[in-house]
């Protein structure tokens, strides 16, 4: 279907759709796989490639869709029961993908660091990077013991790529090198062009010359090197150019003028125009309180024309409102009113633009804009079963922590909800560098569909606010991070968004930790708690699990948790179960390496000995979070039933205290 993008808003202006809350959305809708992912347009603008999951969810095929409808869709399989992601067009007819796997608690597939290529007809497939073991008869062709990803397509050499390959630590040790190879995607031949003795990220000018390199020191602080000119040797980046970090770099055709995000003092990064040869810079955009969310680029190899922010209220900032790309993007925002627009990919001549339109009420739908005809062609919706009129709305909120720190969060509720609502607090995982943002959240929407408001808080330590804000959360797992969550709950009660007598807390990973620790610190706030693959014993976390397998992981835990035994015990829910006075539900996967089963079993036993009501759900074949749709469906059913028993209809408790919640100090 083609539409005129610039008249879209006018066509829909008179359309009013009534809320559809009378029909409860099936629980299965919130766990089934999206219909496709990783969309990319070919350089000649004739095809769109996308990853499409098989019906049983065991593999993802690569589908090549002709935009003019002149030929049938071509489905490519690389290996049985394998997923693919990170689609890259090496030329008009050659495509590269990463072999991938489903990871718990993630919406998107995650690359395994193995690259494969094929032409668009599925012929001449080539393994570019992988470790292929010998089968007893033949030697495996590839013996790449590391992680590979495409850094850049060399536009002037169709079929050629720059690939970043980092050796596995298990093979090369803690100081594992990164090598940049120039690779022919058709034959698999490769040539080394750059090397770093440590894991590194590189940025390149348009010729493919590496110009900026970033590694990290033992404290995970960035270490920056650059080439002032293409002919220069590597030099340390002067503090006058970038005091702390520098990244997201793209160059103009002159090979000297670049654009990148720079932070000098761990503050949120800002976008600058940089003269590499002179080492000078000009500020283009940035905020003091929020990190840049997305950089908007002017075409396939174009420089930035704007940025977005998403850690609080979503917003767009153009550098020049009169530029052709700013006009194009703002026009699409007007045409798709109420949605954000992501420019995903471009044809080689930039006349066709692949973009996504999404909001808090619907996941992305993808379209191709033909700039010559001014027509928009729909590619598809990733989840067409979700209808905006049936979904909840998400509003950004802002409040202040007890120590005066400004915090952001999001409150999701049904559009027809009135007055204080029963509410579920959902702290995010991580906790460091991760953050919730405005957009479609399946977990929040599921809870809202069952009649519960949802509160998500970007407490100190979260991402989206700069490195300084992130480090405010160091060694504060059971302290100020918990205070921040409680302050957000109090704010919703004071603003009559939440019923103080009907609040529960539910989280996964660090969120699972917070789900049990917050009721210990603030026992009067909650009526129940759900811990999903949570980390419950900080002392054991120092001793067991996958993080402790590497020296860097152990150093990281020392930084973020500390190693004072008394403090670790005081801030561990597993060591303080007697202080939890609300019913608890615990959810665990038997294959979890982050929270091993013996730790979970000890925690369950402690709850029972303390007389704390506890309900458990333990699933075989799952790890640190569930992957299989049927298990996610069962989890959602049990969570909804648990919430209904404790804060659902007819469960109004005794009136809550009107005084502020008082934190319980851990001895």
């Amino acid at each position: 279907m083609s539409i005129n993008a610039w008249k879209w808003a006018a066509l829909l202006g008179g359309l009013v759709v009534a809320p559809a809350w009378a029909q409860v959305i099936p629980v299965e809708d919130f766990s089934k796989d999206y219909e496709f992912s990783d969309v990319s347009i070919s350089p000649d603008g004739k095809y769109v490639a996308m990853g499409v999951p098989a019906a049983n969810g065991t593999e993802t095929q690569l589908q090549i869709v002709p935009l003019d409808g002149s030929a049938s869709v071509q489905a490519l399989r690389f290996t049985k029961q394998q997923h693919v992601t990170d689609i890259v067009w090496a030329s008009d007819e050659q495509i590269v993908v990463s072999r991938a796997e489903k990871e718990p608690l993630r919406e998107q597939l995650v690359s395994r660091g193995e690259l494969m290529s094929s032409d668009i007809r599925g012929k001449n497939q080539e393994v570019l990077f992988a470790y292929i073991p010998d089968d007893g008869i033949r030697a495996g062709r590839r013996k790449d013991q590391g992680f590979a990803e495409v850094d850049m397509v060399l536009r002037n050499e169709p079929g050629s790529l720059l690939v970043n390959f980092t050796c596995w630590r298990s093979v090369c040790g803690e100081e594992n090198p990164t090598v940049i190879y120039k690779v022919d995607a058709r034959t698999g031949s490769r040539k080394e062009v750059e090397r770093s003795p440590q894991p590194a990220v590189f940025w390149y000018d348009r010729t493919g010359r590496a110009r900026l390199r970033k590694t990290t020191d033992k404290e995970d602080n960035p270490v920056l090197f650059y080439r002032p000119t293409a002919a220069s040797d590597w030099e340390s980046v002067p503090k006058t150019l970038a005091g702390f970090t520098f990244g997201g770099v793209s160059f103009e055709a002159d090979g000297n003028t670049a654009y990148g995000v720079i932070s000098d003092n761990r503050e949120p990064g800002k976008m600058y125009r940089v003269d590499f040869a002179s080492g000078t810079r000009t500020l283009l955009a940035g905020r003091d309180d929020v990190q840049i969310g997305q950089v908007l680029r002017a075409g396939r190899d174009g420089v930035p024309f704007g940025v977005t922010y998403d850690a609080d209220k979503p917003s767009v900032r153009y550098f020049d409102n009169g530029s052709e790309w700013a006009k194009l993007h703002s026009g699409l925002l007007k045409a798709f009113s109420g949605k954000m627009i992501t420019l995903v990919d471009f044809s080689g001549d930039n006349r066709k633009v692949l973009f996504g339109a999404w909001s808090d009420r619907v996941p992305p739908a993808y379209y191709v804009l033909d700039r010559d005809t001014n027509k928009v062609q729909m590619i598809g919706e990733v989840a067409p079963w979700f209808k905006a009129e049936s979904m909840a709305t998400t509003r950004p909120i802002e409040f202040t922590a007890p120590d005066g720190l400004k915090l952001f969060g999001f409150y999701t509720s049904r559009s027809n909800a009135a007055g204080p609502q029963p509410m579920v607090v959902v702290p995010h995982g991580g906790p460091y560098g991760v953050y919730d943002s405005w957009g479609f959240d399946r977990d929040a929407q599921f809870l809202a569909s069952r009649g519960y408001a949802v509160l998500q808080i970007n407490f100190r330590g979260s991402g989206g606010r700069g490195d300084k804000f992130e480090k405010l959360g160091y060694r504060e797992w059971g302290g100020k991070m918990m205070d921040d969550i409680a302050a957000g709950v109090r704010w919703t009660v004071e603003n009559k968004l939440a019923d103080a007598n009907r609040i529960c807390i539910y989280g996964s990973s660090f969120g699972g930790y917070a789900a049990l620790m917050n009721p210990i610190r603030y026992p009067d706030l909650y009526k129940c708690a759900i811990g999903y693959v949570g980390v419950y014993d900080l002392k054991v976390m120092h001793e067991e699990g996958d993080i402790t397998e590497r020296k860097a992981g152990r150093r990281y835990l020392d930084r973020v948790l500390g190693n004072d035994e008394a403090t670790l015990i005081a801030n561990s829910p597993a060591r303080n179960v007697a202080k939890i006075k609300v019913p608890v539900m615990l959810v665990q996967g038997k294959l979890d390496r982050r929270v091993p089963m013996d730790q979970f079993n000890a925690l369950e036993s402690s709850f029972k000995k303390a007389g704390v009501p506890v309900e458990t759900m333990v699933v075989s074949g799952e790890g640190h979070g569930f992957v299989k749709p049927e298990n996610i469906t069962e989890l959602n059913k049990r969570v909804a039933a648990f919430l209904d028993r404790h804060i659902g209809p007819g469960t109004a408790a005794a009136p809550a205290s009107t005084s502020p919640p008082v934190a319980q100090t851990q001895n």
Side-chain angles (χ1 to χ4, degrees):
M1 178 181 69
S2 295
I3 58 173
N4 187 315
W6 315 118
K7 296 181 180 178
W8 184 255
L11 290 173
L12 295 185
L15 182 62
V16 178
V17 181
W21 295 106
Q23 295 182 345
V24 177
I25 302 171
V27 64
E28 292 80 8
D29 283 3
F30 296 94
S31 57
K32 60 185 178 181
D33 291 328
Y34 282 164
E35 292 199 344
F36 63 93
S37 61
D38 290 310
V39 190
S40 183
I41 192 170
S42 62
D44 59 13
K46 294 181 179 180
Y47 302 94
V48 163
M50 61 180 69
V52 179
N56 60 8
T58 60
E59 69 178 61
T60 301
Q61 298 178 353
L62 182 68
Q63 291 194 0
I64 310 297
V65 181
L67 289 175
D68 64 2
S70 61
S72 60
V73 174
Q74 184 76 42
L76 309 184
R77 296 178 70 194
F78 290 88
T79 51
K80 292 182 179 180
Q81 296 190 339
Q82 293 286 342
H83 300 282
V84 296
T85 189
D86 298 341
I87 301 168
V88 176
W89 289 88
S91 67
D92 290 339
E93 296 201 344
Q94 195 74 20
I95 201 160
V96 176
V97 297
S98 298
R99 189 172 287 162
E101 58 189 15
K102 289 185 175 181
E103 274 202 5
L105 309 179
R106 295 201 182 192
E107 196 75 73
Q108 300 297 326
L109 294 168
V110 178
S111 170
R112 291 174 49 184
E114 300 177 351
L115 300 181
M116 301 168 289
S117 72
S118 174
D119 63 29
I120 59 176
R121 289 166 291 279
K123 309 296 183 183
N124 304 316
Q125 292 191 0
E126 182 71 36
V127 177
L128 302 180
F129 285 82
Y131 183 83
I132 304 174
D134 303 338
D135 62 9
I137 300 175
R138 293 173 297 180
R141 180 182 174 191
R142 299 292 187 192
K143 289 290 190 295
D144 298 310
Q145 296 178 297
F147 189 96
E149 58 185 331
V150 176
D151 268 4
M152 182 179 184
V153 176
L154 298 175
R155 307 298 182 193
N156 295 328
E157 301 179 54
S160 294
L161 313 163
L162 294 179
V163 173
N164 181 307
F165 179 80
T166 300
C167 183
W168 292 326
R169 284 190 175 94
S170 60
V171 175
C172 297
E174 293 287 326
E175 296 298 323
N176 43 329
T178 290
V179 181
I180 305 300
Y181 291 99
K182 181 179 178 181
V183 180
D184 188 320
R186 295 157 296 194
T187 66
S189 64
R190 63 177 79 161
K191 177 184 178 182
E192 180 178 326
V193 295
E194 292 285 349
R195 176 177 287 266
S196 168
Q198 301 143 328
V201 180
F202 290 83
W203 288 271
Y204 311 85
D205 61 25
R206 294 194 187 183
T207 70
R209 179 66 164 165
R211 302 292 296 278
L212 181 66
R213 185 178 86 217
K214 180 166 70 174
T215 63
T216 56
D217 62 19
K218 291 185 178 181
E219 298 299 314
D220 288 334
N221 294 313
V223 180
L224 302 171
F225 302 91
Y226 80 133
R227 288 186 171 116
T229 70
S232 301
D233 293 329
W234 288 110
E235 302 177 13
S236 294
V237 173
K239 295 296 184 182
T240 54
L241 181 58
F244 178 64
T245 192
F246 185 9
V249 176
S250 58
F251 278 82
E252 291 190 0
D254 64 9
N256 178 59
T257 307
Y259 300 78
V261 178
I262 296 174
S263 171
D264 289 323
N265 297 296
R266 301 180 183 267
E267 79 284 4
K270 298 179 173 63
M271 175 61 69
Y272 289 86
R273 181 189 297 114
V274 178
D275 185 310
F276 256 54
S278 67
T280 58
R281 68 189 195 187
T282 303
L283 178 64
L284 296 175
R287 288 174 50 179
D288 293 331
D289 59 344
V290 172
Q291 187 83 20
I292 290 170
Q294 180 190 8
V295 177
L296 303 173
R297 301 191 184 278
R300 181 170 284 252
D301 293 314
V303 299
F305 67 88
V307 297
T308 68
Y309 304 100
D310 63 1
D312 60 344
K313 181 179 180 180
S315 60
V316 180
R317 167 77 163 83
Y318 302 123
F319 307 154
D320 176 5
N321 291 332
S323 74
E324 62 171 324
W325 287 97
K327 290 179 179 179
L328 182 150
H329 190 265
S330 63
L332 290 173
L333 285 172
K334 293 176 182 177
F336 293 84
S337 179
K339 297 182 179 180
M340 290 293 284
I341 299 296
T342 301
L343 303 184
V344 178
D345 201 4
F346 311 85
S347 61
D349 61 4
N350 293 325
R351 302 312 299 169
K352 289 186 177 178
V353 180
L354 173 66
F355 68 92
W358 52 274
S359 75
D360 57 332
R361 304 181 75 174
V362 287
Y366 291 94
Y367 305 82
V368 171
L369 167 66
D370 187 323
R371 298 175 66 198
D372 292 325
T373 63
N374 207 28
K375 299 291 184 179
V376 169
Q377 178 180 354
M378 187 178 195
I379 302 303
E381 301 170 280
V382 300
W385 54 88
F386 289 128
K387 305 301 179 184
E389 62 270 18
S390 300
M391 310 311 293
T393 58
T394 299
R395 55 177 278 192
I397 65 170
E398 179 182 325
F399 60 97
T400 302
D403 62 358
L405 183 66
K406 180 169 69 174
L407 297 170
F408 299 124
F410 297 91
Y411 175 86
T412 300
S413 66
R414 298 182 299 177
S415 58
N416 64 344
Q421 299 293 302
M423 187 175 76
V424 182
V425 183
V426 183
H428 63 70
Y432 303 107
V434 179
Y435 66 102
D436 289 312
S437 59
W438 185 87
F440 188 84
D441 185 307
R442 279 211 263 197
D443 291 335
Q445 289 290 344
F446 169 70
L447 293 170
S449 76
R450 268 54 191 172
Y452 299 104
V454 177
L455 177 64
Q456 297 166 289
I457 296 165
N458 287 324
F459 41 80
R460 70 193 69 206
S462 302
R465 302 282 301 275
D467 190 75
K468 187 179 296 183
F469 183 85
E470 185 174 326
K471 284 182 168 51
L472 289 176
Y474 281 14
R475 304 191 179 193
E476 292 289 351
W477 275 48
K480 292 181 180 179
M481 295 165 93
M482 297 301 103
D483 297 339
D484 294 347
I485 294 170
V489 175
R490 179 187 176 192
W491 185 92
T492 60
V493 172
E494 290 175 346
N495 285 273
K496 303 188 185 308
L497 297 176
D499 181 346
N501 299 314
R502 298 166 71 192
I503 299 174
C504 286
I505 184 167
Y506 167 34
S508 60
S509 196
F510 172 84
Y513 166 87
L516 269 63
M517 195 66 205
N518 222 247
I520 292 174
R521 291 288 317 285
Y522 293 90
D524 296 330
L525 276 186
Y526 303 102
K527 301 305 176 186
C528 68
I530 305 173
Y532 175 26
V533 297
V535 178
Y536 307 117
D537 193 318
L538 303 189
K539 188 172 183 296
V540 173
M541 190 179 181
H542 263 290
E543 302 164 354
E544 299 179 7
D546 53 350
I547 297 178
T548 62
E549 294 173 357
R550 299 184 291 110
K551 288 182 181 178
R554 294 191 290 274
R555 290 196 302 265
Y556 171 78
L557 290 178
D558 284 342
R559 285 199 305 275
V560 303
L561 294 179
N563 47 30
D564 178 74
E565 184 172 335
T567 301
L568 294 175
I569 290 174
N571 289 328
S572 295
R575 309 291 182 116
N576 295 276
V577 294
K579 297 178 181 178
I580 299 178
K581 305 300 183 182
V582 298
V584 172
M585 178 178 178
L586 298 176
V587 184
Q588 180 79 5
K590 283 191 174 182
L591 300 181
D592 194 340
R593 295 179 61 219
R594 188 67 49 88
V595 186
M597 276 302 299
D598 56 354
Q599 185 182 154
F600 173 85
N601 292 334
L603 175 63
E604 181 185 13
S605 177
S606 296
F607 271 118
K608 290 180 178 178
K609 289 179 181 177
V612 178
V614 60
E615 177 180 329
T616 62
M617 177 181 178
V618 180
V619 179
S620 300
E622 297 280 16
H624 194 61
F626 296 170
V627 169
K628 297 177 182 177
E630 60 269 26
N631 291 334
I632 299 172
T633 294
E634 182 62 23
L635 169 63
N636 284 339
K637 288 179 179 179
R638 295 198 189 187
V639 165
F642 183 81
L643 293 172
D644 287 347
R645 287 196 297 273
H646 299 293
I647 59 171
T651 60
S657 171
T658 57
S659 60
V662 178
Q664 300 296 307
T665 302
Q666 298 299 295
N667 298 319

